[in-house]
């Protein structure tokens, strides 16, 4: 896998992590199979579907199950959530087809477009996704036409 694919897989893992960790924390290992009752919120059900897709991959299945079980037993433990994220990253990095499937699932869930987060922090900070004009954060700035 090239550097671009590596970066994309890591970014994808980060995007799906909240859904996967939430589903594991709510459902435990029942999230890995169709067994168990639905009834959670949409994000939790999406997390379950992501976990079920990851589960179909033979390689790393035992490690994924262990990480999901651990998060299910201690849902608030951020370190266990991080271990689960590492398992997801490894699976995505090792299997480009899996990564493409997960990316497609995420695109469909989020409305088909890429996820964009824009953050501004601090005095005078500006956050934009696209800009075709002038942005000035200086005091007493004068912008000529």
């Amino acid at each position: 896998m090239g550097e671009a694919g590596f970066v994309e897989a890591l970014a994808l893992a980060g995007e799906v992590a909240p859904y996967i960790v939430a589903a594991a924390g709510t459902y435990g290992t029942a999230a890995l199979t169709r067994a168990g009752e639905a009834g959670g919120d949409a994000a939790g059900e999406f997390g379950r579907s992501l976990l079920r897709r990851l589960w179909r991959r033979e390689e790393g299945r035992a490690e994924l199950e262990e990480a999901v079980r651990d998060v299910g037993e201690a849902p608030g433990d951020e370190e266990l959530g991080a271990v689960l994220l590492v398992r997801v990253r490894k699976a995505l990095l090792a299997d480009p087809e899996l990564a493409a499937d997960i990316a497609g699932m995420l695109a469909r869930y989020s409305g088909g477009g890429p996820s964009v987060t824009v953050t501004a922090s601090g005095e005078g900070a500006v956050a934009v996704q696209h800009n075709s004009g002038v942005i000035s954060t200086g005091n007493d700035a004068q912008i000529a036409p």
Side-chain angles (χ1 to χ4, degrees):
M1 173 177 289
E3 185 177 332
F6 179 79
V7 171
E8 289 173 9
L10 293 180
L12 179 59
E15 286 187 71
V16 299
Y19 303 108
I20 289 173
V21 171
T26 301
Y27 302 106
T29 55
L32 297 171
T33 63
R34 294 206 181 267
E37 295 195 19
D41 62 5
E45 290 304 312
F46 178 59
R48 282 181 74 175
S49 66
L50 291 168
L51 280 169
R52 284 192 301 266
R53 175 57 186 97
L54 289 159
W55 177 250
R56 290 197 316 249
R57 184 173 182 272
E58 291 287 330
E59 186 179 337
R61 182 182 280 181
E63 292 84 0
L64 177 66
E65 181 177 8
E66 179 182 22
V68 169
R69 181 181 305 108
D70 290 345
V71 170
E73 291 173 357
D77 190 321
E78 291 180 14
E79 290 179 355
L80 293 176
V83 170
L84 177 55
L85 176 58
V86 168
R87 299 294 180 216
V88 171
R89 284 180 182 167
K90 284 184 174 186
L92 296 175
L93 288 168
D95 189 340
E97 185 177 322
L98 172 66
D101 286 353
I102 296 292
M105 292 172 71
L106 180 62
R108 286 187 298 279
Y109 177 76
S110 64
S115 174
V116 176
T117 301
V118 180
T119 304
S121 179
E123 186 177 336
V126 176
V128 297
Q129 181 176 357
H130 300 286
N131 177 43
S132 59
V134 175
I135 296 177
S136 174
T137 63
N139 292 336
D140 300 322
Q142 296 181 9
I143 301 169

